[in-house]
Amino acid sequence: MSDSFSHSLRQLWTLDKFAYSFRVFLAFSGAIALSWSQDQIALAIPLFLGIIASALSETDDNWEGRVRALLVTLICFLVASCSVELLFPWPWLFAPGLALSAFTFIMLGAIEQRYATIASATLILSVYSMINIEQHGGTTDGNFWHQPLLLVGGAAWYGAISVVWCALFSRQPVKQSMAQLYRELGEYLIIKATLFEPLRGIDVESRRVALARQNGRVVTALNQAKEMIFRRLEGQRGSRKLNRYLRLYFIAQDIHERVSASHYPYSALTETFFHHDVLFRCQRLLDQQGRACKRLAKALLLRQPFEHGQSEQALEDLRASIVYLRAQRNPEWTPLLRSLQALGRNLATLEDQLSSAHNPDAVVDQKDASLLDRSPRSFRDAWERIRLNLTPGSPTFRHALRLSTALLVGYGVLHLVHPTQGYWILLTTLFVCRPNFGATRRFLRQRIIGTVVGLVVGWALISLFPNPLLQSLISVVAGVVFFANREKHYVIATAAITTLVLSSFNQVGDGFDLILPRLIDTLIGALISGLAVFFILPDWQGRRLHKVASTALANSTLYLREIIHQYEAGKQDDLAYRLARRNAHNADAALSTVLANMLQEPGHYRKKDADEGFRFLVVSHTLLGYLSALGAHRGALAANESNAESDAEIYAAARRIADRFDAIAANLQSRQPIDDPRGEQNALVAIFEQEPTAAQDDADDERRVIQTQLLHISRQLVPMSEAAARLIARPVETPGEGNGGDEKGDDGKGGDGKGGEGKGGQENSGEKIGGKAAENA
């Protein structure tokens, strides 16, 4: 029994939301205990609101960084709460102050994600301050500092718990993020395995789209893991445990490159080897390696042994199948067998990486283990990031203007109709209004459903359990449920926070009176948000699709150039190469996210753009697969004087491919006609189809594999140009509807041109503008 209980606790500890929820539980319990000990249950409401705002502003960091962030957060909270107290009786001053502060705080999000999170939480606390004042009859009771100090006190209480927790368990979030990364890699491998299914007539394109979407999730997990490790490495570079996680991160990067690799068109492999078992062996090996990645994720969390014997056996079966095919000596199979052998070597190296991930301490540290710091280095750097977004073409600027206008309209509506508890209109507007239509529609629907469910559940609970102590416990449980579900189950989270509000406010005598106003205010706020995102500088994804597609192609081209440089200078996993690789995948993930958002937009604006966009995504992801295979084989060729001249010709031809892709990307960006690349493609194909002049040994076989990969890449010129031409064969967007100053740089942070293993793919979706707090509260 004790062993079972201990195992259950260990399983609970591995959940990424357990620690977060437990901290919230401690904070809520402390607030309830204080209010009951003082026999002033009304104290719980401002303390709860402060705790919620503080928990929403929490950023991942080491404990020193969290202390600094907490101090900044508390100062912002105090200034915001005092400003609301000061201006609340003067609507004509309050209204412009509300709009200006909302615009300013959203624009601060252009600096960095942590600033966006803190700024968004500050806006939330401002509305909480309005609700708290309204609960006291719209007056400050003659004590200006009382309510602001309670709100900030609740925030400080949660912040103190957070700092202590971070100091005690600083590496647990890193372990959880690394486990999530390997789970996503495992899912990617399993989806990739379906491409090798030996069936004729399967819809390969739909499977490639699914693969591209999963690639976006892998990229997000890679970026999150990198940020967590980086923030803890500052001043702790010699830490053995942190270096272990850093090695695991680099192993995951290499696995991602290898599993992204494509060595030959799958349709040709299926047609040629349909009556042999080699494709089944490939499929089984990839599937088993994907499951091994998932087992590794679980082993990391539970500190259990990691076993991957099934994938090792699948690898041996694949090798035996390839040896059998080679023994047939069929000359027509020679090009395909080379690719299959290269695939086998690639998967064998991937298996070695899985084995080393079990014991990363035994891995020799790579020469360049640096990570790019994307944080602003000075006030000038921070201001430059904001300045680049001060243009109508920036999604951040549009969202800031849209949200500030929506809040201003909501404030006017609540004064025009004088509804009871009217400030819930502003809270709903703040939570529902998103940077793009698709996200706004999704959260609008979920917010309304969750509110209705929460009101029904809350009404039932406060009716069945009128005891104030029980209602206090219900509030605590509802708060924990909210924070446990706010990222993945927004309907449940909204229902929980609504229940918390009813049970908390009912203890001061007006819980039932809040039900109808909360429902009406939610509907009004949702309507204002929907109209705002539709009419105020709407950010239709199709209007910037060509720019996002151009960025994806341009980053793939930079990746190709860096790969060629590696072949010339020798394999080295330095920062420049890793940045080029990560930027290419970030851009591919950003394109996938934009297309996903487009599917939620009205058909009149989406039209056929999404279909053409997905066709471009398939071609782009195919190109990225060939590039990944080329990158995976770096170091396979040794310098050889007899082949120096032919190698130089190959590298020059590869740069011609890059030049042509750059030209397509530039024309796509500016919506200019794209030249027909067929002549150039035929010339390049002729170069790469030449057999090596030296005797056929292992090195020349490797050289032929490299030429084959470049041949596949060159054959993407025509499909890429045709896909790009279809994207620009639409009416030119109206002025101010571009991507403007928010055109993402390589690091995903605002056009400074610096590469980065950051959150570009994730943030390009536009849903992160304004911070995590607004996204999930």
Side-chain angles (χ1 to χ4, degrees):
M1 180 67 71
S2 60
D3 291 342
S4 176
F5 180 72
S6 175
H7 180 72
S8 298
L9 286 180
R10 289 176 64 187
Q11 291 277 9
L12 190 64
W13 180 248
T14 62
L15 299 177
D16 58 346
K17 291 302 176 187
F18 171 74
Y20 191 26
S21 302
F22 188 68
R23 291 195 300 271
V24 171
F25 171 76
L26 292 177
F28 280 150
S29 299
I32 286 292
L34 176 64
S35 61
W36 276 90
S37 66
Q38 298 295 317
D39 197 24
Q40 298 183 49
I41 194 62
L43 289 177
I45 294 177
L47 290 176
F48 272 21
L49 295 177
I51 289 169
I52 294 171
S54 182
L56 292 174
S57 70
E58 188 176 57
T59 58
D60 179 75
D61 224 324
N62 55 28
W63 73 268
E64 297 97 331
R66 192 163 291 188
V67 168
R68 292 192 295 268
L70 177 61
L71 292 175
V72 173
T73 301
L74 293 180
I75 292 172
C76 291
F77 282 7
L78 184 61
V79 171
S81 184
C82 289
S83 298
V84 170
E85 290 274 338
L86 182 65
L87 297 176
F88 194 86
W90 313 96
W92 294 106
L93 290 176
F94 191 94
L98 175 64
L100 181 61
S101 61
F103 181 85
T104 302
F105 280 127
I106 295 300
M107 290 305 301
L108 287 176
I111 300 176
E112 195 183 18
Q113 184 61 38
R114 69 178 69 187
Y115 292 99
T117 302
I118 293 173
S120 182
T122 303
L123 283 175
I124 292 170
L125 186 97
S126 299
V127 180
Y128 284 167
S129 299
M130 303 173 203
I131 294 171
N132 197 45
I133 294 174
E134 190 177 44
Q135 284 299 119
H136 291 81
T139 65
T140 59
D141 295 330
N143 191 341
F144 177 83
W145 295 100
H146 183 64
Q147 294 303 320
L149 287 179
L150 286 176
L151 287 166
V152 176
W157 166 233
Y158 177 82
I161 294 174
S162 176
V163 169
V164 172
W165 190 280
C166 186
L168 293 176
F169 310 107
S170 62
R171 295 183 182 89
Q172 182 67 9
V174 181
K175 183 188 298 184
Q176 289 171 337
S177 69
M178 202 61 63
Q180 177 65 20
L181 169 57
Y182 278 95
R183 279 195 295 268
E184 298 294 354
L185 275 174
E187 189 62 28
Y188 188 89
L189 275 157
I190 291 172
I191 296 176
K192 184 67 175 283
T194 64
L195 293 177
F196 288 90
E197 189 172 12
L199 291 175
R200 293 192 179 104
I202 62 174
D203 189 356
V204 176
E205 185 169 311
S206 65
R207 296 187 181 189
R208 282 194 172 279
V209 170
L211 194 66
R213 288 176 170 172
Q214 180 60 27
N215 183 61
R217 299 185 185 98
V218 175
V219 168
T220 298
L222 277 166
N223 293 333
Q224 183 181 21
K226 177 257 180 181
E227 290 297 318
M228 285 190 171
I229 296 172
F230 181 80
R231 289 169 186 167
R232 289 162 177 79
L233 278 176
E234 296 173 310
Q236 302 184 53
R237 179 65 75 164
S239 171
R240 185 179 66 85
K241 289 186 177 180
L242 279 179
N243 285 337
R244 183 173 186 267
Y245 290 124
L246 185 61
R247 294 187 192 100
L248 281 170
Y249 170 74
F250 287 134
I251 290 171
Q253 277 195 322
D254 190 74
I255 291 176
H256 183 219
E257 180 174 57
R258 294 184 180 281
V259 72
S260 300
S262 296
H263 289 81
Y264 212 88
Y266 300 107
S267 58
L269 291 172
T270 300
E271 187 65 30
T272 302
F273 299 114
F274 185 80
H275 297 289
H276 300 272
D277 70 345
V278 66
L279 293 183
F280 167 75
R281 298 300 178 188
C282 289
Q283 181 186 12
R284 175 169 170 76
L285 175 56
L286 282 166
D287 184 79
Q288 289 300 322
Q289 288 177 333
R291 297 180 190 278
C293 279
K294 291 188 174 184
R295 288 195 296 271
L296 174 60
K298 186 175 181 179
L300 283 172
L301 290 174
L302 298 177
R303 297 182 180 179
Q304 293 177 342
F306 166 59
E307 187 274 327
H308 60 109
Q310 289 181 308
S311 58
E312 288 180 330
Q313 182 59 50
L315 177 61
E316 292 303 318
D317 293 342
L318 174 61
R319 285 170 170 165
S321 183
I322 294 175
V323 168
Y324 173 80
L325 290 176
R326 290 191 66 182
Q328 306 304 306
R329 299 188 181 279
N330 187 334
E332 296 181 358
W333 293 354
T334 301
L336 291 171
L337 282 176
R338 288 198 187 105
S339 294
L340 282 176
Q341 286 179 277
L343 172 63
R345 288 191 294 270
N346 187 45
L347 294 179
T349 306
L350 195 157
E351 188 68 26
D352 292 340
Q353 292 285 20
L354 278 176
S355 179
S356 63
H358 173 54
N359 184 23
D361 293 331
V363 179
V364 178
D365 287 333
Q366 61 184 80
K367 296 179 181 178
D368 186 358
S370 57
L371 299 173
L372 182 70
D373 183 6
R374 299 185 300 112
S375 302
R377 296 170 177 80
S378 63
F379 284 109
R380 176 178 293 182
D381 188 13
W383 165 245
E384 183 64 16
R385 295 187 183 191
I386 295 176
R387 188 190 65 79
L388 287 172
N389 284 276
L390 287 174
T391 168
S394 162
T396 304
F397 178 88
R398 292 176 180 221
H399 179 54
L401 186 63
R402 190 183 303 128
L403 181 61
S404 58
T405 304
L407 289 174
L408 190 61
V409 171
Y411 185 74
V413 168
L414 73 89
H415 278 279
L416 180 65
V417 300
H418 294 288
T420 306
Q421 307 288 353
Y423 287 93
W424 297 105
I425 294 175
L426 299 184
L427 193 66
T428 301
T429 302
L430 184 60
F431 290 158
V432 170
C433 189
R434 301 291 163 146
N436 59 69
F437 180 87
T440 300
R441 187 176 72 171
R442 184 170 66 253
F443 279 94
L444 185 151
R445 182 180 64 252
Q446 293 176 346
R447 186 82 183 181
I448 293 175
I449 294 174
T451 299
V452 172
V453 172
L455 290 174
V456 173
V457 172
W459 169 79
L461 290 176
I462 62 178
S463 299
L464 292 172
F465 305 103
N467 185 284
L469 179 59
L470 287 177
Q471 291 183 7
S472 297
L473 295 177
I474 291 171
S475 300
V476 172
V477 173
V480 173
V481 171
F482 166 70
F483 282 98
N485 291 278
R486 69 188 186 89
E487 291 185 352
K488 295 182 179 180
H489 307 286
Y490 192 67
V491 171
I492 297 175
T494 303
I497 200 68
T498 303
T499 302
L500 181 149
V501 168
L502 286 184
S503 56
S504 298
F505 280 63
N506 188 61
Q507 296 178 62
V508 295
D510 59 357
F512 291 98
D513 295 337
L514 183 62
I515 294 177
L516 188 59
R518 174 80 191 233
L519 177 60
I520 294 174
D521 292 349
T522 296
L523 295 175
I524 294 175
L527 177 62
I528 292 173
S529 300
L531 293 175
V533 79
F534 195 90
F535 290 108
I536 302 175
L537 292 178
D539 195 21
W540 306 119
Q541 303 295 286
R543 293 173 175 171
R544 66 187 186 100
L545 178 60
H546 67 289
K547 292 189 175 182
V548 179
S550 172
T551 301
L553 180 55
N555 278 283
S556 292
T557 305
L558 290 173
Y559 184 25
L560 172 59
R561 293 185 187 278
E562 190 61 36
I563 292 172
I564 298 305
H565 174 70
Q566 292 269 311
Y567 274 104
E568 290 178 323
K571 179 181 178 180
Q572 186 178 10
D573 284 324
D574 54 8
L575 181 61
Y577 178 79
R578 287 185 282 113
L579 291 181
R581 178 176 61 191
R582 184 57 44 224
N583 291 334
H585 283 283
N586 277 340
D588 183 76
L591 177 59
S592 177
T593 303
V594 166
L595 289 169
N597 288 335
M598 283 181 64
L599 293 180
Q600 301 180 60
E601 294 179 348
H604 172 70
Y605 294 94
R606 186 173 69 240
K607 295 182 181 177
K608 65 176 182 178
D609 294 349
D611 292 336
E612 301 298 348
F614 277 112
R615 290 190 181 95
F616 186 93
L617 177 64
V618 169
V619 178
S620 175
H621 198 69
T622 300
L623 172 63
L624 189 55
Y626 291 141
L627 291 173
S628 296
L630 189 64
H633 289 286
R634 289 171 301 129
L637 297 184
N640 189 325
E641 292 184 5
S642 63
N643 286 309
E645 184 176 344
S646 61
D647 287 349
E649 182 183 7
I650 293 297
Y651 299 148
R655 288 194 170 87
R656 285 170 58 187
I657 300 176
D659 292 339
R660 175 59 72 171
F661 279 133
D662 273 336
I664 296 174
N667 288 0
L668 185 56
Q669 175 79 13
S670 59
R671 287 183 175 272
Q672 298 298 318
I674 297 174
D675 295 334
D676 188 349
R678 284 181 174 80
E680 181 75 358
Q681 176 175 302
N682 293 335
L684 291 167
V685 166
I687 295 174
F688 296 130
E689 284 183 336
Q690 295 175 2
E691 290 288 341
T693 56
Q696 289 295 316
D697 55 18
D698 290 341
D700 289 315
D701 201 33
E702 289 284 359
R703 183 169 281 101
R704 188 63 186 132
V705 168
I706 304 308
Q707 287 185 219
T708 300
Q709 287 306 123
L710 288 170
L711 176 64
H712 297 328
I713 294 170
S714 66
R715 283 175 172 164
Q716 292 302 304
L717 282 172
V718 170
M720 183 65 73
S721 63
E722 291 176 347
R726 286 193 292 267
L727 280 184
I728 63 177
R730 295 179 289 115
V732 179
E733 61 189 90
T734 56
E737 291 178 343
N739 212 22
D742 201 56
E743 185 72 28
K744 301 293 182 185
D746 288 342
D747 64 350
K749 277 291 180 183
D752 60 2
K754 299 175 183 176
E757 298 170 294
K759 298 181 181 178
Q762 178 178 323
E763 290 175 1
N764 266 315
S765 69
E767 293 185 27
K768 294 295 179 183
I769 300 170
K772 186 186 292 184
E775 180 181 357
N776 299 303

